[in-house]
């Protein structure tokens, strides 16, 4: 009986891994955006940011055509950054460095219907927690 329970836990744990990796593989530009925002928040201690500033910080020019709009909003307990994808978004050719893969390994992904005009949201803890990425939310079209 113990073997069956252990096997069920092991199989259940393995089944959840591909979903996260699939979502993050498709949205590498969102991963890069979240790293750029996190670095900017840490350097400026939470000062407001613009998409232009972030695109200039992307020295490898990997996300310059991926996003049209971005908005930062302070919430109770966290900071939300909403983003809108560009029509010229190109998912091919975006590679993450080993350091970036390591940083994004612990990011939590969620899909839900957002009630605004944005394609997704990235949530960050406030400065006392070093602007850690709490969650990345991808907009799921309403059915």
């Amino acid at each position: 009986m113990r073997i069956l329970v252990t096997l069920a836990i092991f199989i259940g744990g393995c089944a959840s891994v591909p979903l996260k990796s699939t979502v993050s593989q498709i949205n590498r530009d969102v991963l890069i955006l979240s790293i750029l925002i996190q670095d900017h928040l840490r350097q400026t201690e939470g000062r407001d940011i613009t998409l232009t500033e972030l695109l200039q910080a992307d020295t490898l020019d990997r996300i310059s055509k991926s996003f049209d709009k971005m908005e930062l909003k302070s919430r109770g307990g966290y900071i939300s950054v909403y983003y809108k994808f560009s029509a010229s978004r190109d998912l091919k050719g975006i590679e993450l460095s080993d350091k970036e893969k390591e940083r994004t390994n612990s990011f939590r992904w969620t899909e839900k219907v957002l009630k605004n005009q944005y394609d997704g949201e990235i949530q960050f803890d406030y400065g006392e927690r070093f602007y850690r990425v709490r969650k990345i939310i991808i907009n799921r079209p309403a059915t």
Side-chain angles (χ1 to χ4, degrees), residues 28-84:
R28 287 183 179 169
D29 51 355
V30 177
L31 289 173
I32 294 169
L33 180 68
S34 64
I35 290 171
L36 291 171
I37 294 169
Q38 185 179 48
D39 290 344
H40 183 84
L41 289 172
R42 287 178 178 169
Q43 292 168 359
T44 63
E45 297 180 9
R47 186 179 57 86
D48 199 20
I49 54 179
T50 64
L51 185 57
T52 307
E53 288 175 315
L54 294 176
L55 294 178
Q56 289 173 351
D58 181 25
T59 56
L60 298 176
D61 200 33
R62 296 177 287 180
I63 63 167
S64 63
K65 296 177 182 161
S66 293
F67 300 98
D68 268 345
K69 187 175 171 184
M70 186 186 78
E71 182 179 355
L72 183 131
K73 291 184 179 180
S74 295
R75 302 280 185 205
Y78 61 94
I79 299 169
S80 287
V81 177
Y82 296 95
Y83 57 87
K84 181 115 177 109

Side-chain angles (χ1 to χ4, degrees), residues 16-28 31 109:
S16 65
V17 172
L19 177 63
K20 178 185 175 188
S21 64
T22 302
V23 172
S24 63
Q25 291 292 326
I26 294 169
N27 295 294
R28 287 183 179 169
L31 289 173
W109 291 85

Side-chain angles (χ1 to χ4, degrees), residues 64-137:
S64 63
K65 296 177 182 161
S66 293
F67 300 98
D68 268 345
K69 187 175 171 184
M70 186 186 78
E71 182 179 355
L72 183 131
K73 291 184 179 180
S74 295
R75 302 280 185 205
Y78 61 94
I79 299 169
S80 287
V81 177
Y82 296 95
Y83 57 87
K84 181 115 177 109
F85 290 124
S86 170
S88 61
R89 181 182 185 208
D90 182 22
L91 299 175
K92 298 177 184 173
I94 296 177
E95 291 296 323
L96 298 174
S97 69
D98 291 336
K99 186 177 180 181
E100 289 170 333
K101 287 178 187 176
E102 187 177 312
R103 281 180 70 179
T104 61
N105 208 20
S106 62
F107 289 2
R108 290 183 16 213
W109 291 85
T110 304
E111 285 187 336
K112 71 179 192 180
V113 177
L114 295 176
K115 297 181 185 339
N116 56 29
Q117 76 272 16
Y118 293 100
D119 293 319
E121 173 186 1
I122 305 169
Q123 296 178 353
F124 297 90
D125 283 328
Y126 277 111
E128 62 268 6
R129 295 195 181 171
F130 307 106
Y131 301 105
R132 179 183 63 89
V133 175
R134 289 181 60 192
K135 187 187 312 182
I136 299 174
I137 301 169

